[in-house]
Amino acid sequence: MKPFTYERAQSPAAAAAAAAQHPGSRFVAGGTNLLDLMKLEIETPPHLIDVNGLGLDKIEPTKEGGLRIGALVRNTDLAADARVRRDYAVLSRALVAGASGQLRNMATTAGNLLQRTRCPYFYDTNQPCNKRVPGSGCGALDGFNRPHAVLGVSKSCIATHPSDMAVAMRVLDAVVETVKPDATTRSIPIAELHRLPGDQPHIDTILESGEFITAVTLPPPAGGVQIYEKVRDRASYAFALISVATIVQRDGTGRVALGGVAHKPWRVEAAEAEMPRGAKAVAEKLLAGAKLMPANAFKLKLVERTLGAVLAEAKGTRP
Protein backbone atom coordinates (compact mmCIF):
# COMPACT_ATOMS: atom_id res chain seq x y z
CA MET A 1 0.00 0.00 0.00
CA LYS A 2 1.32 3.41 -0.94
CA PRO A 3 1.57 6.17 1.69
CA PHE A 4 -1.34 8.58 2.04
CA THR A 5 -2.45 11.46 4.22
CA TYR A 6 -5.65 11.38 6.24
CA GLU A 7 -8.28 13.68 7.71
CA ARG A 8 -11.66 13.43 9.39
CA ALA A 9 -14.37 15.51 7.75
CA GLN A 10 -16.53 17.73 9.97
CA SER A 11 -19.53 18.05 7.63
CA PRO A 12 -20.69 16.69 4.25
CA ALA A 13 -19.86 19.99 2.54
CA ALA A 14 -16.43 20.01 4.18
CA ALA A 15 -15.81 16.47 2.97
CA ALA A 16 -16.62 17.48 -0.61
CA ALA A 17 -14.47 20.60 -0.33
CA ALA A 18 -11.54 18.56 1.03
CA ALA A 19 -11.84 16.18 -1.91
CA ALA A 20 -11.60 19.11 -4.30
CA GLN A 21 -8.51 20.40 -2.51
CA HIS A 22 -6.77 17.02 -2.76
CA PRO A 23 -7.01 15.69 -6.35
CA GLY A 24 -7.28 11.92 -6.43
CA SER A 25 -8.46 11.67 -2.82
CA ARG A 26 -11.10 9.17 -1.70
CA PHE A 27 -13.83 9.15 0.92
CA VAL A 28 -13.59 6.24 3.35
CA ALA A 29 -16.31 4.84 5.64
CA GLY A 30 -16.54 1.04 5.96
CA GLY A 31 -13.63 0.61 3.56
CA THR A 32 -14.73 -2.89 2.56
CA ASN A 33 -13.85 -2.30 -1.10
CA LEU A 34 -11.47 0.66 -1.07
CA LEU A 35 -8.94 -0.78 1.38
CA ASP A 36 -8.67 -4.03 -0.59
CA LEU A 37 -7.99 -2.05 -3.75
CA MET A 38 -5.39 0.07 -1.97
CA LYS A 39 -3.56 -3.03 -0.75
CA LEU A 40 -3.36 -4.24 -4.34
CA GLU A 41 -2.35 -0.73 -5.49
CA ILE A 42 -5.26 -0.64 -7.89
CA GLU A 43 -6.44 2.43 -6.01
CA THR A 44 -3.61 4.72 -4.88
CA PRO A 45 -5.28 7.79 -3.36
CA PRO A 46 -2.79 10.31 -1.94
CA HIS A 47 -5.36 11.42 0.64
CA LEU A 48 -8.23 9.75 2.54
CA ILE A 49 -11.20 11.65 3.94
CA ASP A 50 -12.88 9.80 6.82
CA VAL A 51 -16.63 10.49 6.73
CA ASN A 52 -17.74 8.19 9.56
CA GLY A 53 -18.40 11.05 11.99
CA LEU A 54 -20.92 12.95 9.88
CA GLY A 55 -24.09 11.54 11.44
CA LEU A 56 -25.40 10.20 8.13
CA ASP A 57 -26.38 6.87 9.69
CA LYS A 58 -30.12 7.30 10.17
CA ILE A 59 -33.19 5.98 8.35
CA GLU A 60 -35.94 8.58 8.49
CA PRO A 61 -39.44 8.95 7.00
CA THR A 62 -39.95 11.60 4.35
CA LYS A 63 -42.93 13.94 4.17
CA GLU A 64 -43.93 12.20 0.91
CA GLY A 65 -44.30 8.88 2.73
CA GLY A 66 -41.01 7.26 1.71
CA LEU A 67 -37.71 6.76 3.51
CA ARG A 68 -34.48 8.73 3.54
CA ILE A 69 -31.49 6.45 4.09
CA GLY A 70 -28.31 8.14 5.25
CA ALA A 71 -25.17 7.45 3.23
CA LEU A 72 -23.50 5.81 6.23
CA VAL A 73 -26.30 3.43 7.18
CA ARG A 74 -24.68 0.00 7.38
CA ASN A 75 -26.07 -2.72 5.14
CA THR A 76 -26.97 -4.91 8.12
CA ASP A 77 -28.97 -2.15 9.77
CA LEU A 78 -30.77 -1.26 6.55
CA ALA A 79 -31.73 -4.88 5.84
CA ALA A 80 -33.03 -5.33 9.40
CA ASP A 81 -35.05 -2.10 9.62
CA ALA A 82 -38.70 -2.97 10.23
CA ARG A 83 -39.96 -0.37 7.74
CA VAL A 84 -37.65 -1.66 5.01
CA ARG A 85 -38.61 -5.28 5.65
CA ARG A 86 -42.31 -4.39 5.56
CA ASP A 87 -42.53 -1.86 2.74
CA TYR A 88 -39.37 -2.43 0.66
CA ALA A 89 -38.85 -6.17 1.00
CA VAL A 90 -36.96 -6.41 -2.30
CA LEU A 91 -34.27 -4.16 -0.82
CA SER A 92 -33.97 -6.13 2.40
CA ARG A 93 -33.69 -9.40 0.48
CA ALA A 94 -31.08 -7.97 -1.89
CA LEU A 95 -28.93 -6.74 0.99
CA VAL A 96 -29.01 -10.09 2.77
CA ALA A 97 -27.99 -11.79 -0.49
CA GLY A 98 -24.82 -9.69 -0.67
CA ALA A 99 -21.35 -10.43 0.71
CA SER A 100 -21.10 -11.89 4.23
CA GLY A 101 -22.47 -10.92 7.61
CA GLN A 102 -19.16 -9.39 8.65
CA LEU A 103 -18.93 -7.26 5.51
CA ARG A 104 -22.56 -6.15 5.76
CA ASN A 105 -21.84 -4.95 9.30
CA MET A 106 -19.28 -2.50 7.89
CA ALA A 107 -20.47 -1.72 4.35
CA THR A 108 -22.43 1.51 3.91
CA THR A 109 -25.26 2.54 1.64
CA ALA A 110 -23.15 4.99 -0.38
CA GLY A 111 -20.16 2.66 -0.47
CA ASN A 112 -22.30 -0.17 -1.79
CA LEU A 113 -23.48 1.99 -4.69
CA LEU A 114 -19.93 3.13 -5.49
CA GLN A 115 -18.05 -0.16 -5.22
CA ARG A 116 -15.86 -1.09 -8.16
CA THR A 117 -16.32 -4.10 -10.44
CA ARG A 118 -15.13 -7.54 -9.32
CA CYS A 119 -13.91 -8.48 -12.81
CA PRO A 120 -10.80 -10.69 -12.33
CA TYR A 121 -8.90 -8.71 -14.97
CA PHE A 122 -9.52 -5.51 -13.01
CA TYR A 123 -8.05 -7.11 -9.89
CA ASP A 124 -5.06 -8.73 -11.61
CA THR A 125 -2.48 -6.01 -12.22
CA ASN A 126 -0.60 -8.30 -14.62
CA GLN A 127 -3.57 -8.28 -17.00
CA PRO A 128 -4.82 -5.53 -19.33
CA CYS A 129 -7.87 -3.66 -18.08
CA ASN A 130 -9.23 -0.39 -19.44
CA LYS A 131 -11.05 0.21 -16.16
CA ARG A 132 -7.82 0.07 -14.20
CA VAL A 133 -5.43 1.48 -16.81
CA PRO A 134 -7.29 3.34 -19.59
CA GLY A 135 -6.06 2.32 -23.02
CA SER A 136 -4.43 -0.94 -21.88
CA GLY A 137 -7.12 -3.17 -23.40
CA CYS A 138 -9.74 -5.56 -22.05
CA GLY A 139 -8.39 -8.98 -21.15
CA ALA A 140 -11.88 -10.41 -20.71
CA LEU A 141 -12.78 -10.04 -24.39
CA ASP A 142 -10.54 -12.95 -25.40
CA GLY A 143 -10.16 -14.47 -21.95
CA PHE A 144 -12.36 -15.81 -19.17
CA ASN A 145 -15.71 -14.08 -19.64
CA ARG A 146 -18.31 -16.40 -18.14
CA PRO A 147 -19.43 -13.94 -15.42
CA HIS A 148 -19.31 -10.88 -17.64
CA ALA A 149 -21.89 -8.49 -19.05
CA VAL A 150 -24.17 -9.14 -22.02
CA LEU A 151 -25.95 -5.76 -22.13
CA GLY A 152 -24.65 -2.23 -22.56
CA VAL A 153 -21.12 -3.47 -23.25
CA SER A 154 -18.47 -1.89 -25.46
CA LYS A 155 -15.21 -2.88 -27.11
CA SER A 156 -13.45 -1.35 -24.12
CA CYS A 157 -15.16 -3.22 -21.27
CA ILE A 158 -17.59 -6.05 -20.54
CA ALA A 159 -17.44 -5.89 -16.73
CA THR A 160 -20.56 -6.04 -14.55
CA HIS A 161 -21.56 -3.91 -11.59
CA PRO A 162 -21.39 -6.10 -8.47
CA SER A 163 -24.01 -4.50 -6.19
CA ASP A 164 -27.15 -6.41 -5.19
CA MET A 165 -28.50 -3.39 -3.31
CA ALA A 166 -28.27 -1.16 -6.39
CA VAL A 167 -30.49 -3.52 -8.39
CA ALA A 168 -33.20 -3.33 -5.74
CA MET A 169 -32.79 0.44 -5.51
CA ARG A 170 -33.27 0.64 -9.28
CA VAL A 171 -36.55 -1.27 -9.23
CA LEU A 172 -37.72 0.97 -6.37
CA ASP A 173 -36.91 4.19 -8.28
CA ALA A 174 -34.57 5.48 -5.57
CA VAL A 175 -33.02 8.94 -5.74
CA VAL A 176 -29.43 9.69 -4.70
CA GLU A 177 -28.74 12.94 -2.84
CA THR A 178 -25.31 14.58 -3.06
CA VAL A 179 -23.35 17.66 -2.08
CA LYS A 180 -20.65 19.25 -4.26
CA PRO A 181 -17.44 21.02 -3.21
CA ASP A 182 -19.16 24.42 -3.62
CA ALA A 183 -21.82 23.24 -1.10
CA THR A 184 -24.57 23.01 -3.73
CA THR A 185 -26.72 19.89 -3.67
CA ARG A 186 -28.50 17.80 -6.25
CA SER A 187 -30.78 14.77 -6.50
CA ILE A 188 -29.92 12.07 -9.03
CA PRO A 189 -32.37 9.33 -10.05
CA ILE A 190 -30.55 6.07 -9.54
CA ALA A 191 -31.27 5.21 -13.18
CA GLU A 192 -28.82 7.98 -14.10
CA LEU A 193 -26.13 7.44 -11.45
CA HIS A 194 -24.11 4.64 -13.06
CA ARG A 195 -22.61 4.92 -16.56
CA LEU A 196 -22.28 2.36 -19.31
CA PRO A 197 -18.61 1.81 -20.24
CA GLY A 198 -18.44 3.28 -23.73
CA ASP A 199 -14.83 4.23 -24.40
CA GLN A 200 -14.30 5.47 -20.81
CA PRO A 201 -14.98 2.44 -18.61
CA HIS A 202 -12.79 3.85 -15.83
CA ILE A 203 -15.54 6.40 -15.09
CA ASP A 204 -18.21 4.50 -13.17
CA THR A 205 -20.76 7.21 -12.35
CA ILE A 206 -21.88 10.70 -13.34
CA LEU A 207 -20.65 12.13 -10.02
CA GLU A 208 -18.41 15.15 -10.42
CA SER A 209 -14.97 15.45 -8.84
CA GLY A 210 -15.40 15.72 -5.08
CA GLU A 211 -19.16 15.16 -5.15
CA PHE A 212 -20.24 13.31 -2.01
CA ILE A 213 -23.33 11.12 -1.57
CA THR A 214 -25.27 12.10 1.56
CA ALA A 215 -28.40 9.93 1.32
CA VAL A 216 -30.64 7.75 -0.80
CA THR A 217 -34.37 8.48 -0.82
CA LEU A 218 -37.01 5.84 -1.48
CA PRO A 219 -40.45 6.90 -2.78
CA PRO A 220 -43.63 5.83 -0.98
CA PRO A 221 -44.05 2.04 -0.89
CA ALA A 222 -45.06 0.48 -4.20
CA GLY A 223 -46.85 -2.44 -2.54
CA GLY A 224 -47.20 -5.71 -4.40
CA VAL A 225 -45.11 -8.83 -3.94
CA GLN A 226 -41.43 -7.91 -3.83
CA ILE A 227 -38.78 -10.53 -4.59
CA TYR A 228 -35.04 -10.56 -5.12
CA GLU A 229 -33.63 -13.72 -6.65
CA LYS A 230 -29.87 -14.14 -7.01
CA VAL A 231 -28.26 -16.93 -9.05
CA ARG A 232 -24.62 -17.58 -8.23
CA ASP A 233 -22.01 -20.30 -8.31
CA ARG A 234 -22.19 -20.99 -4.58
CA ALA A 235 -24.80 -20.42 -1.90
CA SER A 236 -23.15 -17.47 -0.17
CA TYR A 237 -20.39 -14.87 -0.47
CA ALA A 238 -20.49 -14.88 -4.26
CA PHE A 239 -21.41 -12.27 -6.83
CA ALA A 240 -24.42 -12.76 -9.07
CA LEU A 241 -24.23 -14.55 -12.38
CA ILE A 242 -27.61 -12.90 -12.78
CA SER A 243 -30.12 -11.48 -10.35
CA VAL A 244 -33.75 -10.45 -10.70
CA ALA A 245 -35.52 -7.80 -8.61
CA THR A 246 -39.28 -7.60 -9.08
CA ILE A 247 -42.36 -5.89 -7.75
CA VAL A 248 -45.50 -7.71 -8.89
CA GLN A 249 -48.98 -6.30 -8.35
CA ARG A 250 -52.16 -8.34 -7.96
CA ASP A 251 -53.21 -7.64 -11.55
CA GLY A 252 -49.92 -9.05 -12.88
CA THR A 253 -48.35 -5.70 -13.70
CA GLY A 254 -45.12 -4.63 -12.07
CA ARG A 255 -41.44 -3.77 -12.39
CA VAL A 256 -38.28 -5.74 -12.97
CA ALA A 257 -34.55 -4.97 -12.85
CA LEU A 258 -31.58 -7.24 -13.51
CA GLY A 259 -28.15 -7.55 -11.98
CA GLY A 260 -25.10 -9.41 -13.22
CA VAL A 261 -25.79 -8.57 -16.86
CA ALA A 262 -24.46 -5.03 -17.34
CA HIS A 263 -22.17 -2.25 -16.14
CA LYS A 264 -25.12 -0.92 -14.10
CA PRO A 265 -28.44 -2.25 -12.78
CA TRP A 266 -30.46 -3.03 -15.89
CA ARG A 267 -34.08 -1.97 -16.23
CA VAL A 268 -36.14 -1.44 -19.38
CA GLU A 269 -39.48 0.07 -18.45
CA ALA A 270 -40.98 -0.87 -21.83
CA ALA A 271 -40.41 -4.53 -21.00
CA GLU A 272 -42.54 -4.22 -17.87
CA ALA A 273 -45.68 -3.76 -19.97
CA GLU A 274 -45.21 -7.41 -20.98
CA MET A 275 -45.31 -8.78 -17.41
CA PRO A 276 -48.93 -10.01 -17.62
CA ARG A 277 -47.88 -12.08 -20.66
CA GLY A 278 -45.16 -13.90 -18.79
CA ALA A 279 -41.41 -14.21 -18.40
CA LYS A 280 -40.53 -14.97 -22.01
CA ALA A 281 -42.19 -11.82 -23.34
CA VAL A 282 -40.54 -9.69 -20.67
CA ALA A 283 -37.12 -11.26 -21.22
CA GLU A 284 -37.24 -10.66 -24.96
CA LYS A 285 -37.48 -6.90 -24.44
CA LEU A 286 -35.19 -6.78 -21.41
CA LEU A 287 -32.43 -8.58 -23.28
CA ALA A 288 -32.87 -6.94 -26.68
CA GLY A 289 -29.52 -5.98 -28.16
CA ALA A 290 -27.53 -8.38 -26.01
CA LYS A 291 -23.92 -8.92 -27.15
CA LEU A 292 -22.71 -12.35 -26.15
CA MET A 293 -19.34 -13.94 -25.61
CA PRO A 294 -18.97 -17.70 -26.07
CA ALA A 295 -18.80 -18.32 -22.33
CA ASN A 296 -21.65 -16.10 -21.14
CA ALA A 297 -24.41 -16.78 -23.67
CA PHE A 298 -26.11 -18.95 -21.04
CA LYS A 299 -27.15 -15.79 -19.20
CA LEU A 300 -30.01 -15.12 -21.62
CA LYS A 301 -31.80 -18.36 -20.83
CA LEU A 302 -30.87 -18.05 -17.17
CA VAL A 303 -32.57 -14.65 -16.97
CA GLU A 304 -35.74 -15.99 -18.61
CA ARG A 305 -35.93 -19.04 -16.35
CA THR A 306 -35.18 -17.11 -13.18
CA LEU A 307 -37.72 -14.44 -14.05
CA GLY A 308 -40.26 -17.20 -14.71
CA ALA A 309 -39.60 -18.70 -11.27
CA VAL A 310 -39.89 -15.28 -9.62
CA LEU A 311 -43.19 -14.48 -11.32
CA ALA A 312 -44.53 -17.89 -10.33
CA GLU A 313 -43.49 -17.23 -6.73
CA ALA A 314 -45.25 -13.87 -6.80
CA LYS A 315 -48.43 -15.57 -8.00
CA GLY A 316 -48.09 -18.39 -5.46
CA THR A 317 -47.64 -21.06 -8.12
CA ARG A 318 -43.91 -21.76 -7.81
CA PRO A 319 -43.26 -25.47 -7.10
Side-chain angles (χ1 to χ4, degrees):
M1 183 183 291
K2 292 189 175 182
F4 57 89
T5 53
Y6 170 89
E7 70 174 287
R8 292 177 177 169
Q10 302 303 308
S11 70
Q21 293 168 6
H22 298 274
S25 61
R26 294 289 185 270
F27 303 116
V28 62
T32 57
N33 186 211
L34 176 61
L35 296 183
D36 283 344
L37 295 175
M38 290 176 65
K39 291 173 185 177
L40 295 170
E41 296 189 5
I42 294 169
E43 290 271 8
T44 56
H47 187 70
L48 290 186
I49 303 163
D50 189 331
V51 297
N52 281 297
L54 301 184
L56 303 176
D57 57 353
K58 298 176 178 61
I59 305 170
E60 302 170 309
T62 66
K63 63 181 180 180
E64 294 80 13
L67 286 180
R68 187 176 187 271
I69 303 162
L72 301 178
V73 172
R74 308 292 163 165
N75 286 178
T76 294
D77 295 332
L78 184 56
D81 186 88
R83 295 160 295 184
V84 174
R85 294 178 64 188
R86 181 188 65 233
D87 297 329
Y88 306 95
V90 65
L91 176 57
S92 182
R93 290 179 66 161
L95 285 161
V96 172
S100 66
Q102 294 92 333
L103 287 171
R104 292 194 296 270
N105 288 342
M106 292 299 296
T108 63
T109 299
N112 191 306
L113 290 175
L114 298 179
Q115 64 184 299
R116 307 298 304 276
T117 182
R118 265 42 178 210
C119 172
Y121 294 92
F122 176 73
Y123 271 79
D124 186 347
T125 55
N126 293 312
Q127 298 292 333
C129 174
N130 288 317
K131 248 180 130 47
R132 177 169 31 81
V133 182
S136 63
C138 175
L141 289 174
D142 296 315
F144 174 71
N145 47 48
R146 179 174 176 269
H148 286 75
V150 296
L151 294 163
V153 299
S154 72
K155 293 180 180 179
S156 297
C157 184
I158 58 172
T160 60
H161 194 275
S163 174
D164 293 289
M165 186 194 77
V167 182
M169 293 281 197
R170 179 67 181 91
V171 86
L172 289 168
D173 287 325
V175 175
V176 179
E177 299 177 7
T178 71
V179 61
K180 298 181 183 182
D182 63 0
T184 60
T185 62
R186 66 168 169 163
S187 297
I188 306 170
I190 196 166
E192 300 173 11
L193 177 66
H194 298 102
R195 296 178 65 258
L196 293 177
D199 59 1
Q200 294 181 306
H202 59 290
I203 304 175
D204 292 322
T205 72
I206 66 165
L207 296 181
E208 299 174 9
S209 177
E211 191 168 6
F212 175 62
I213 293 177
T214 55
V216 176
T217 301
L218 301 179
V225 178
Q226 301 186 17
I227 299 171
Y228 185 79
E229 188 82 9
K230 180 177 182 178
V231 181
R232 46 191 162 176
D233 282 328
R234 57 179 184 266
S236 66
Y237 199 46
F239 297 99
L241 290 172
I242 67 103
S243 63
V244 176
T246 57
I247 300 174
V248 183
Q249 305 296 342
R250 296 180 67 177
D251 61 0
T253 61
R255 310 175 192 171
V256 58
L258 302 178
V261 297
H263 213 68
K264 60 186 291 185
W266 194 260
R267 184 177 171 196
V268 179
E269 280 82 348
E272 295 168 355
E274 304 294 330
M275 287 185 71
R277 296 181 55 204
K280 185 173 183 180
V282 177
E284 284 180 358
K285 287 198 172 182
L286 267 177
L287 302 173
K291 296 181 180 179
L292 309 177
M293 306 302 293
N296 68 8
F298 73 95
K299 288 195 174 190
L300 299 190
K301 185 58 69 173
L302 187 60
V303 166
E304 181 183 332
R305 290 175 176 172
T306 304
L307 180 57
V310 166
L311 294 181
E313 180 179 342
K315 296 174 184 177
T317 60
R318 185 170 180 174

